[in-house]
Amino acid sequence: MEHQVGQLSAPSPSGSSEFAALADALTEARLRRKRGAKWGETAPGVLPAWVADPDLPIAPPVAAAVRAALDSNDLGHPYEDAAPARAWARWSARRYGWEPDVSYASAHGNVVAAMAACIDLLTAAGEPVIVPVPTYPPFLLAVRDLGRRPLPVPLTVDGSGRDAFDLGAVAAALRDGARLLLLCSPHNPTGRCWSADELRELTELVAAHDGWVISDEVFADVTLPGVRHVPTASLGDAVAARTVTLTSTSKAFGTAGLRHALAVAPNADLHAAISHRRYTRGATASLLGAVAAEAAWRQGDRWMDDVVRYLAARRTDLLDALPRLPGVRCRPPEATYLAWWDLRRTRFAAAPAAELLARARVQLSDGEPFAAEGFARFNFALPRPLLAQALDRLADAFGG
């Protein structure tokens, strides 16, 4: 089945053009004043297209909510109420046509911390954990750090040339004793937005073996025109009963520094255990993070629609530039603001990110930590002028 077209509320033309103007006005000099990793760890003169932070205007409701907390001197320990989780449930109903039960939602400092808690609780030391690869590097790191054994299952390619799950390899892993699969949906780094049929086949297979799925859905809101995110736990009671959903405003709203994520468990016992892990592992959410997340999910629809339109245009810019990068293969990302470049047929194949950093002064994420040597990940959530500059630099490097 093909993806359904996303049912996004349509922003007004003036609202969209106003957002584009604000985004385009974010100059390199202004962005270099940021203290986050993306710019702070990038050398002068280098354009950063690596860390998955968007360089876009902050959503006005988020900025207003954080300022109000600061004005109230409200920087203490968070009081965990259900307001952010309820806001996310209503957001999901508006955006995806599914309102989750958040009775067993807990707040965490970030998605990786929540995932680590789940791995620790749902598997035993030494057990294999299925990880479709390529994958977001902390998936593999968390499994190893907890004394489990990552079991990489490479994605395959379907009949239309898109990345797809290797169900045969997943089934074999489950028969061999694996009980947990780490799912990234939408997928980082390939940009795939999995269809309902793809997710149903995968998750029903895992559930049939009494396995569990941890579904990282932090890029859910960055689904580009032509696709619609399908929440894993929306696929029926049997799947929902074996799924822990992880979500955050960190990627779509650019709030990673505020430390807030939700873990939504399917039952009270698992919820209590996941919640307890926060306090023993220093992984509690911040008050400002909770304030920002609630504001984003309650009032961020118009801003998010404008972001999606802007990113769709930047994706077009990126794809239009590919002929200037001979040998680079890239399937158009359906979601996220990440392009996954196959450079194995280029002269930069041995160390793509390092070579392009040296030759083009553009910083990408190398594929090796994603379990994909010869690849690189390009973050195109940049203001249009800076993206154009980065692509020009890269084209010069490929032509030189």
Side-chain angles (χ1 to χ4, degrees), residues 84-265:
R86 288 196 300 265
W88 173 69
R90 292 190 290 268
W91 172 271
S92 296
R94 296 194 303 274
R95 309 296 285 191
Y96 317 123
W98 171 70
E99 185 163 0
D101 180 357
V102 291
S103 301
Y104 305 125
S106 54
H108 299 256
N110 55 51
V111 161
V112 174
M115 175 176 289
C118 295
I119 294 170
D120 203 22
L121 291 164
L122 297 172
T123 61
E127 277 194 10
V129 175
I130 302 170
V131 186
V133 294
T135 190
Y136 179 50
F139 280 31
L140 298 168
L141 294 173
V143 173
R144 294 191 187 103
D145 187 60
L146 291 164
R148 275 61 170 175
R149 178 165 54 90
L151 187 57
V153 175
L155 296 174
T156 186
V157 179
D158 67 15
S160 61
R162 299 179 305 174
D163 293 288
F165 299 117
D166 187 337
L167 296 178
V170 172
L174 292 164
R175 288 194 298 270
D176 288 343
R179 295 187 296 156
L180 179 64
L181 181 142
L182 305 186
L183 173 65
C184 192
S185 180
H187 190 252
N188 174 6
T190 69
R192 270 304 316 273
C193 184
W194 310 113
S195 70
D197 284 352
E198 288 174 303
L199 289 170
R200 187 174 289 109
E201 287 182 319
L202 176 70
T203 54
E204 288 182 353
L205 174 62
V206 175
H209 286 80
D210 292 324
W212 286 86
V213 174
I214 301 175
S215 187
D216 171 1
E217 303 185 15
V218 293
F219 276 107
D221 302 318
V222 193
T223 48
L224 301 173
V227 299
R228 185 182 188 184
H229 171 66
V230 178
T232 302
S234 71
L235 295 171
D237 292 342
V239 170
R242 309 293 292 184
T243 298
V244 178
T245 300
L246 308 181
T247 190
S248 174
T249 58
S250 59
K251 299 306 180 186
F253 287 85
T255 61
L258 292 179
R259 296 189 55 79
H260 183 273
L262 292 178
V264 185

